[in-house]
Amino acid sequence: MLLVIFIRCKLIAGVTALILVAQSFELRAAGAGVLVSTERNNQVYVLLADHKKPSQITRGWSTLGGTIKDGESELHAAVREVVEESGGVLSAELLFSTVNPEVKTMTPGFTIFYAKVPFQNVDLFNLTKGSESKLGNSERGPFIWLPWSEVLAAAKKYQEQLNSDSGSKVILDKKFLPENSQTDWFFDAFLATVKSISETSHTNLYSLKPTVD
């Protein structure tokens, strides 16, 4: 009898350990980013970038962000990724002074924060990284400022395509794309996040309320 109890305890301990390992891996694999926006002529624009890496080229256009490293908070990971992917054009100081840590949208695999920044020409973001320059980017680009209304419309179309199970990509209007674009579609995971924003009536980026965890 004692042997049976001992074996059961070992099995329970083993299963618990596996669950903890899985949860730990899930945490390490989670991502975070910042939806960077600006306002011009009474219209809200968000900063989007294509993916340059050959292994990521099929993703298409999305906001900036990436994987949370061990020991990082969601916010610190989001800011670090945006600084890296913007080639240093968006600084950590600027982002930390703008982002409200309590205002975020959480999905199962990604957490997005919001930052309203002064307008900067996309030419700055599109610089190629030089050996003596901190600016420039070899990971993301080209960059565009896309009207937030266009992003919301794309998220709605994404939802419609999910419902119809068409599996096709949502295409950006060509008038917004630069000549050197490698792709012309939105990253599905980005639109899924935007869908979560719009479903909670957060269509106005500048009236978002703190998130209750």
Side-chain angles (χ1 to χ4, degrees):
M1 184 65 179
L2 287 174
L3 180 61
V4 173
I5 294 172
F6 175 76
I7 292 172
R8 284 180 178 173
C9 288
K10 292 289 283 184
L11 284 171
I12 291 170
V15 171
T16 302
L18 284 172
I19 291 171
L20 289 173
V21 167
Q23 287 178 340
S24 174
F25 177 79
E26 220 174 87
L27 250 146
R28 287 197 301 272
V34 181
L35 187 61
V36 178
S37 65
T38 195
E39 195 167 4
R40 295 196 83 195
N41 302 320
N42 298 316
Q43 187 169 7
V44 177
Y45 294 81
V46 294
L47 184 68
L48 301 184
D50 204 350
H51 285 80
K52 283 186 179 180
K53 287 184 177 180
S55 61
Q56 298 178 343
I57 194 65
T58 57
R59 292 182 176 182
W61 291 80
S62 73
T63 189
L64 309 184
T67 303
I68 300 172
K69 295 181 179 179
D70 288 339
E72 280 189 316
S73 68
E74 289 179 326
L75 178 57
H76 280 78
V79 169
R80 173 185 54 75
E81 285 286 345
V82 173
V83 173
E84 291 175 3
E85 293 188 346
S86 71
V89 178
L90 297 171
S91 68
E93 291 77 13
L94 172 65
L95 294 168
F96 278 123
S97 68
T98 306
V99 173
N100 181 346
E102 302 302 319
V103 178
K104 55 188 176 181
T105 297
M106 296 174 289
T107 63
F110 201 81
T111 296
I112 196 160
F113 297 90
Y114 303 90
K116 182 181 180 181
V117 302
F119 174 79
Q120 297 189 66
N121 194 299
V122 287
D123 289 345
L124 275 176
F125 298 96
N126 289 326
L127 288 173
T128 301
K129 189 171 184 179
S131 58
E132 297 180 1
S133 173
K134 292 183 179 179
L135 298 179
N137 195 306
S138 58
E139 183 180 355
R140 298 291 301 275
F143 290 74
I144 58 172
W145 287 109
L146 188 66
W148 177 234
S149 57
E150 289 287 324
V151 179
L152 289 173
K156 183 178 180 181
K157 189 170 183 179
Y158 171 72
Q159 177 63 65
E160 291 170 354
Q161 293 184 176
L162 277 181
N163 294 336
S164 65
D165 199 27
S166 68
S168 57
K169 296 286 188 180
V170 179
I171 305 300
L172 281 84
D173 190 324
K174 292 189 185 300
K175 70 181 180 183
F176 296 111
L177 292 175
E179 291 182 1
N180 58 340
S181 298
Q182 298 183 84
T183 68
D184 63 356
W185 57 82
F186 287 95
F187 185 21
D188 287 348
F190 168 59
L191 291 184
T193 301
V194 175
K195 184 171 74 71
S196 296
I197 299 170
S198 59
E199 283 175 350
T200 52
S201 300
H202 290 167
T203 54
N204 184 345
L205 287 180
Y206 303 147
S207 65
L208 295 175
K209 300 291 186 275
T211 301
V212 179
D213 294 328

